[in-house]
Amino acid sequence: MLVSTLAGCGGGDTLDAADTGAGESPGASESLSPGKNATDQPEPDKLPPARTPVLHVDGKYTYTVRILDAKTMVDVPGTPPPAGTMALALLLRVEAEPRDRSIHAPYAALSIDYPSRKDDLNSEIGTVLDYGMPYLTEDQMLYGGEGAKGIDSVFGTLQPNTVYYHWAWQIVSEKANLEGATLCEAEVWGAGCIPIGDINTAES
């Protein structure tokens, strides 16, 4: 359920809907207006575009991470956020570096930092990303539904030359100041960080 709900945030392109002009011939209008004819196929689902820059994670296994989407959640699979907290969930694109190697599925290696983090810390507030959901290929993410098993985010192995996606989250205070939040390598001196960007608000 979380995959379909969160992955659907990206939606599909809607730019073509208003591209047709009144003076075009019927043939040109049909070719430029997908979905206008009964025989036309709907536009395929798409994941949100990956944000920039890229986070390069070093360690026993090396890989790259890009953020596609971010939103606060009051309900996630597994243990829900305790009272007074919420989950800041990120849709991540993960790929081995170099691409032709398999890697252990990354976990507990990334952390979300934000302005009020040090002041907010208590026994309930997270300091690294939770394990999150299984790693899925793009097709599994878009079309697999709840039946897409994916690769375990703790014990699994990501295959070479394959791009994976998954949702992971960190528990934060409901009153957290998330302006300028970043995704960083966890517990690393001189850790690399990338900006998270826009964060959608938790649904009530």
Side-chain angles (χ1 to χ4, degrees), residues 1-192:
M1 180 66 72
L2 186 67
V3 171
S4 59
T5 300
L6 296 180
C9 291
D13 282 336
T14 57
L15 298 178
D16 291 340
D19 283 350
T20 57
E24 294 173 340
S25 66
S29 177
E30 290 171 6
S31 65
L32 293 175
S33 303
K36 294 298 183 181
N37 297 324
T39 56
D40 285 341
Q41 296 297 316
E43 289 193 26
D45 293 333
K46 296 179 182 178
L47 292 174
R51 302 175 182 182
T52 54
V54 179
L55 178 61
H56 297 265
V57 182
D58 294 322
K60 186 175 181 179
Y61 300 100
T62 54
Y63 55 95
T64 60
V65 179
R66 295 182 69 179
I67 300 168
L68 280 72
D69 199 3
K71 69 184 303 181
T72 54
M73 303 285 295
V74 294
D75 189 20
V76 295
T79 304
T85 69
M86 59 186 177
L88 174 50
L90 305 179
L91 176 55
L92 302 176
R93 178 191 190 277
V94 177
E95 186 176 15
E97 187 179 63
R99 299 183 71 250
D100 60 355
R101 296 182 64 111
S102 59
I103 60 171
H104 186 85
Y107 74 97
L110 300 175
S111 173
I112 296 173
D113 196 12
Y114 49 95
S116 67
R117 176 176 164 178
K118 291 182 179 179
D119 294 333
D120 293 342
L121 285 179
N122 60 36
S123 60
E124 306 291 353
I125 303 298
T127 57
V128 294
L129 290 184
D130 283 347
Y131 300 145
M133 302 186 71
Y135 286 90
L136 304 172
T137 65
E138 183 172 0
D139 283 348
Q140 289 175 320
M141 198 76 181
L142 292 173
Y143 309 115
E146 295 183 1
K149 183 177 180 181
I151 294 176
D152 189 275
S153 61
V154 180
F155 302 107
T157 297
L158 306 188
Q159 298 303 310
N161 300 307
T162 306
V163 177
Y164 290 93
Y165 301 85
H166 86 142
W167 284 95
W169 49 86
Q170 187 169 311
I171 302 301
V172 303
S173 169
E174 283 186 339
K175 299 179 180 179
N177 174 12
L178 300 176
E179 184 177 356
T182 55
L183 178 66
C184 304
E185 296 178 79
E187 309 302 330
V188 176
W189 176 257

